[in-house]
Amino acid sequence: MQSSHLREHNLSTVLRAVAGAGEPVSRAALAKRTGLTKPTVSKLVQELLDAGLLVEGQQPAVRASGRPMIPLGIARGSVLGVGLEIAADHLACLVTDLGGRVLHEDARFGAYAGASVDDVAAALSELLDDALSPRPDVPVAGICVSVPGRLGPDRATVLSAPNLAWRDVPLVERLGRLPSFRGFALTAGNDSMLAARTEVLRRPGESFLFLHGETGIGGAVVLEGRIHGGEHGWAGELGHVTISPGGELCRCGRRGCLEAYASYHALRGRTGLPEDVRIEDLVAATAERLRSREAVMEMIGRPLGVVLANSMNVLDLSTVVLSGYFAPIAAELEPVLREVVEAHALTAEVGPIEIQRSAADAHPALSGAAATALEPILTAPARWLDRR
Amino acid sequence: MQSSHLREHNLSTVLRAVAGAGEPVSRAALAKRTGLTKPTVSKLVQELLDAGLLVEGQQPAVRASGRPMIPLGIARGSVLGVGLEIAADHLACLVTDLGGRVLHEDARFGAYAGASVDDVAAALSELLDDALSPRPDVPVAGICVSVPGRLGPDRATVLSAPNLAWRDVPLVERLGRLPSFRGFALTAGNDSMLAARTEVLRRPGESFLFLHGETGIGGAVVLEGRIHGGEHGWAGELGHVTISPGGELCRCGRRGCLEAYASYHALRGRTGLPEDVRIEDLVAATAERLRSREAVMEMIGRPLGVVLANSMNVLDLSTVVLSGYFAPIAAELEPVLREVVEAHALTAEVGPIEIQRSAADAHPALSGAAATALEPILTAPARWLDRR
């Protein structure tokens, strides 16, 4: 490795170790965790302290054994990551610092399902201004926009977002034209993938299938703490796994997709609920229509279970994490999911299937977007330091 | 990295680079390929030459620019890997050296579908004796047995092999009791996974879904040249992906598995062919029954296509490799597979789906078993050298 690459790699390793520690850590502990020598760690830490990315905490009393341990942490509010979220029923903005502390959070509720790109862009621009104007001097690592749709391999164009009625929208370019966005590193991400990212931070190193129920259904494949992106970043699109070839028409134009049976739209359509029922009220309203909460779980759980079992057979995973509107009903869904999965998944032969509720907060895609916006610093701190 | 680990890692890197080169390589080329310095490569090469694992070829004429290039290759027949194969209609043995050269190949045809473990073990023992008795002084790296069934996470017990009518057979332990097997490093592997391994050697670095049609149907998930094993080594069990919940009874005991629709057994059963029809003759015999070769392709291709499309949506892959009895009919299957996959796989939105025929030989599982038997040396050459 060349020395500039080595410096970048080591700085990144140390910065991630501090950010991931969750509590103040000493230089000695960092050396242990990263496998770097203590002198190397000390030199790297000094660089990060000088740049204002790390801070030293209060020096504790001298320990019984030898030298005092000075705790290191991520500096509060020194660099910002901005997450923006576009959803059918709201737009949101979240600003965090490198330590994941929430500095600002804001949302606008409304019917964005049929909104034009210009209207959405203008509203996002206002949200961004409100978030950043009180902090004019704090550097921003980047902005990441969560989109409820499929992005092109460029991660900048929305190929299709049926729940917004968008097709082939060059979102990053359109936003970049607005003054508020100028000069910022701007990316876009699929909402389910960003939600999965938040889940991964809560479950470091784990392997699981992630299933995210929103107006559509998305998902992710997480292998040993890493999201498997695939060739176009579309891996884990469990909402468009076919459960019935030639079956129900999906909003994506295909037939028989899981999403056509178990998404918000599908449930609403199948039970004749009004268009404006909130996703938070979907299960209760459906249960009222069907006069049985159990019937709702059957309706959602059977198709979901088939897709989960099949995905488990492809990947040999035994853990499923339910997110979005599936999260609050995870315990209720579990019996029917378990029945279907155990009937079809090979892994059930040798051990228990784990069906878990998401450990993330209420807005995992938004949190994931803010974390993604900070990623350039965590990956390449030297480049960031050298530019400043 | 500790120096003993570093030595092991570097020796392995160099040995794999020579083995994978396919033609003689110079020390300078090895340095370039491995990223190691030339003096380090020279030192490691000398160790491998001294141990007899590498050989120097004829020194070519001095090149125009500077020093002569001495080509290095894997020594012929210096270490053996033994693959054994258990299939419903034959047992086989293949001996190769570290360079992949075939030194011995033998097979016995017969009806092993209902054979006892003792009978199979005795026959394998004879095949092994025939293979090794002419080479009493050549070290054997290991023996790997290909099994048409699912292995336990210990890779030693056959949990179920419906096509042999075996359940919970401690195969490695049973074989280890026989004198012929004593003292050898012995492992077992699933036939489809071993066949996939052979395919990976032919397609280094590629990502694809591998589908292996035998009496049952197996498969593998290959990501950037590595087989994704999953938690129990069962990833890619595409034969047991459900295409119809509650559908046809599969030999695994589940309902609606792909294998219950498109395997040798399924086709034979569905068209009333005699029990002794050879797998090589399956398609022709089925076509005769149905009076249409196209109908056979529909019968196989529709269920296969659904499973492939769904797996592609889970993994975001765009290449499928057909092996086993699917390989010779890959071109005929392609139109129907393409139709189904393009109707259901997201990846078809942005680029072509590749449906390819296996690049491997006629007995990929057996070749994969022999290669697996050699793996301990390639992974840990230092341990091998130090033991001798």
Side-chain angles (χ1 to χ4, degrees):
Chain A
M1 219 182 278
Q2 284 187 300
S3 73
S4 63
H5 286 137
L6 192 63
R7 174 175 166 247
E8 187 67 286
H9 179 262
N10 287 348
L11 277 171
S12 170
T13 302
V14 168
L15 192 57
R16 278 191 199 277
V18 179
E23 51 175 18
V25 280
S26 68
R27 288 167 176 80
L30 281 175
K32 207 164 179 181
R33 279 183 209 186
T34 59
L36 298 166
T37 65
K38 283 187 203 174
T40 302
V41 166
S42 289
K43 192 173 145 278
L44 297 164
V45 161
Q46 195 56 52
E47 273 202 73
L48 296 168
L49 285 169
D50 292 345
L53 295 179
L54 296 188
V55 284
E56 291 189 331
Q58 290 240 307
Q59 186 172 324
V62 174
R63 289 182 304 171
S65 62
R67 296 205 296 173
M69 189 209 87
I70 302 168
L72 295 162
I74 297 287
R76 182 175 291 267
S78 63
V79 192
L80 309 180
V82 181
L84 292 170
E85 181 175 40
I86 306 173
D89 64 349
H90 70 273
L91 304 177
C93 177
L94 175 71
V95 180
T96 70
D97 69 7
L98 208 51
R101 295 173 197 99
V102 173
L103 304 179
H104 175 92
E105 191 164 9
D106 194 7
R108 292 187 179 196
F109 294 89
Y112 295 98
S116 74
V117 178
D118 281 341
D119 287 349
V120 168
L124 289 177
S125 171
E126 284 174 25
L127 280 169
L128 182 64
D129 286 341
D130 290 349
L132 296 184
S133 57
R135 302 168 179 82
D137 301 323
V138 189
V140 174
I143 301 172
C144 176
V145 189
S146 167
V147 182
R150 199 151 49 256
L151 291 156
D154 63 357
R155 315 248 166 151
T157 305
V158 180
L159 294 186
S160 71
N163 297 318
L164 300 174
W166 286 6
R167 271 199 91 83
D168 296 319
V169 173
L171 182 66
V172 164
E173 191 227 307
R174 293 285 283 275
L175 290 175
R177 283 189 212 155
L178 302 179
S180 318
F181 287 90
R182 231 162 258 158
F184 293 118
L186 184 61
T187 57
N190 168 266
D191 58 350
S192 295
M193 288 300 235
L194 292 170
R197 201 195 146 90
T198 301
E199 197 69 35
V200 166
L201 293 173
R202 303 280 186 289
R203 302 168 182 266
E206 293 185 25
S207 299
F208 55 92
L209 273 173
F210 180 76
L211 200 64
H212 189 61
E214 282 294 327
T215 44
I217 295 179
V221 172
V222 180
L223 303 174
E224 296 175 0
R226 298 170 71 106
I227 295 174
H228 168 68
E231 290 179 19
H232 314 91
W234 300 348
E237 274 280 16
L238 305 185
H240 301 288
V241 166
T242 312
I243 56 164
S244 174
E248 294 285 321
L249 186 63
C250 182
R251 291 162 72 92
C252 75
R254 295 176 184 80
R255 282 197 172 273
C257 300
L258 171 64
E259 188 168 303
Y261 294 84
S263 67
Y264 162 89
H265 280 300
L267 256 70
R268 204 180 50 64
R270 291 171 77 190
T271 55
L273 288 170
E275 288 222 6
D276 62 351
V277 62
R278 296 185 340 145
I279 194 163
E280 293 83 355
D281 304 327
L282 175 70
V283 172
T286 310
E288 204 170 297
R289 277 289 154 102
L290 300 180
R291 290 188 192 151
S292 156
R293 206 156 161 106
E294 219 175 7
V296 187
M297 299 308 144
E298 287 281 321
M299 195 176 223
I300 302 170
R302 298 249 159 233
L304 225 58
V306 171
V307 168
L308 290 174
N310 284 352
S311 304
M312 284 169 148
N313 285 341
V314 172
L315 291 160
D316 189 13
L317 292 176
S318 60
T319 301
V320 172
V321 173
L322 298 175
S323 168
Y325 101 81
F326 302 136
I329 56 169
E332 280 179 281
L333 278 174
E334 183 166 342
V336 57
L337 283 182
R338 190 171 289 287
E339 183 196 323
V340 179
V341 168
E342 288 183 351
H344 293 294
L346 301 180
T347 183
E349 282 182 17
V350 283
I353 303 287
E354 291 285 337
I355 296 167
Q356 299 178 358
R357 178 186 175 148
S358 164
D361 54 42
H363 306 291
L366 185 60
S367 302
T372 301
L374 286 159
E375 193 57 27
I377 300 196
L378 289 165
T379 307
R383 202 184 312 159
W384 173 262
L385 300 187
D386 297 346
R387 252 209 327 250
R388 304 201 68 79
Chain B
M1 218 183 277
Q2 286 187 302
S3 75
S4 62
H5 286 136
L6 192 65
R7 173 175 167 245
E8 187 67 287
H9 179 261
N10 288 347
L11 276 170
S12 170
T13 303
V14 168
L15 192 57
R16 277 191 199 277
V18 179
E23 52 176 17
V25 280
S26 68
R27 288 167 176 80
L30 280 176
K32 207 164 180 181
R33 277 182 212 189
T34 59
L36 298 167
T37 65
K38 283 188 201 173
T40 302
V41 165
S42 290
K43 193 174 144 276
L44 297 164
V45 161
Q46 194 56 50
E47 273 203 72
L48 295 168
L49 285 168
D50 291 346
L53 295 180
L54 297 188
V55 283
E56 291 187 331
Q58 290 239 307
Q59 185 172 326
V62 174
R63 288 182 304 170
S65 62
R67 296 204 296 175
M69 190 210 83
I70 302 168
L72 296 161
I74 297 286
R76 183 174 290 268
S78 61
V79 191
L80 308 180
V82 181
L84 292 170
E85 181 174 40
I86 306 173
D89 64 350
H90 69 274
L91 303 177
C93 177
L94 175 72
V95 180
T96 71
D97 69 8
L98 208 51
R101 297 174 196 99
V102 173
L103 304 178
H104 176 92
E105 191 165 10
D106 195 7
R108 292 188 178 194
F109 294 89
Y112 295 98
S116 75
V117 179
D118 281 341
D119 287 350
V120 169
L124 289 177
S125 171
E126 284 174 25
L127 281 169
L128 182 65
D129 286 341
D130 290 350
L132 295 183
S133 58
R135 303 168 178 81
D137 302 323
V138 189
V140 174
I143 301 172
C144 177
V145 189
S146 167
V147 182
R150 199 150 52 258
L151 290 158
D154 62 355
R155 316 246 165 151
T157 306
V158 181
L159 293 186
S160 71
N163 297 319
L164 299 173
W166 286 7
R167 271 199 89 84
D168 296 318
V169 173
L171 182 66
V172 164
E173 191 227 307
R174 293 285 285 274
L175 290 175
R177 283 188 213 157
L178 301 177
S180 317
F181 286 90
R182 229 161 260 161
F184 291 119
L186 184 60
T187 57
N190 167 267
D191 57 350
S192 295
M193 288 299 236
L194 293 169
R197 203 194 146 91
T198 301
E199 196 69 35
V200 167
L201 293 172
R202 304 281 186 286
R203 301 168 182 267
E206 293 185 25
S207 298
F208 54 93
L209 274 172
F210 180 75
L211 200 64
H212 189 60
E214 281 294 327
T215 45
I217 294 180
V221 171
V222 181
L223 303 175
E224 295 175 1
R226 299 170 71 105
I227 296 175
H228 169 68
E231 290 180 18
H232 314 92
W234 300 348
E237 275 281 15
L238 304 185
H240 301 288
V241 166
T242 312
I243 55 164
S244 175
E248 294 284 322
L249 186 65
C250 182
R251 290 162 73 92
C252 75
R254 295 177 184 79
R255 283 198 171 271
C257 299
L258 171 64
E259 189 168 304
Y261 294 84
S263 66
Y264 163 89
H265 279 299
L267 257 70
R268 204 181 49 64
R270 291 172 77 189
T271 55
L273 290 169
E275 288 222 5
D276 62 351
V277 63
R278 295 187 338 148
I279 193 162
E280 293 82 355
D281 304 326
L282 174 70
V283 171
T286 310
E288 203 171 297
R289 276 289 156 101
L290 300 179
R291 289 188 194 151
S292 156
R293 206 158 160 104
E294 219 174 7
V296 187
M297 299 308 145
E298 287 282 321
M299 194 176 224
I300 302 170
R302 299 247 159 233
L304 225 57
V306 172
V307 168
L308 291 175
N310 283 351
S311 305
M312 285 170 148
N313 285 341
V314 172
L315 291 159
D316 190 13
L317 293 176
S318 60
T319 302
V320 172
V321 173
L322 299 175
S323 167
Y325 101 83
F326 301 135
I329 56 169
E332 278 180 283
L333 278 175
E334 184 167 340
V336 57
L337 282 182
R338 189 170 289 285
E339 183 196 324
V340 179
V341 168
E342 287 183 352
H344 294 293
L346 301 180
T347 185
E349 281 182 18
V350 284
I353 303 287
E354 291 284 336
I355 296 167
Q356 299 179 358
R357 180 186 173 146
S358 163
D361 54 41
H363 305 291
L366 185 59
S367 302
T372 300
L374 286 159
E375 193 57 27
I377 300 197
L378 289 165
T379 306
R383 201 185 314 161
W384 173 263
L385 300 186
D386 296 346
R387 253 209 327 249
R388 303 200 71 78

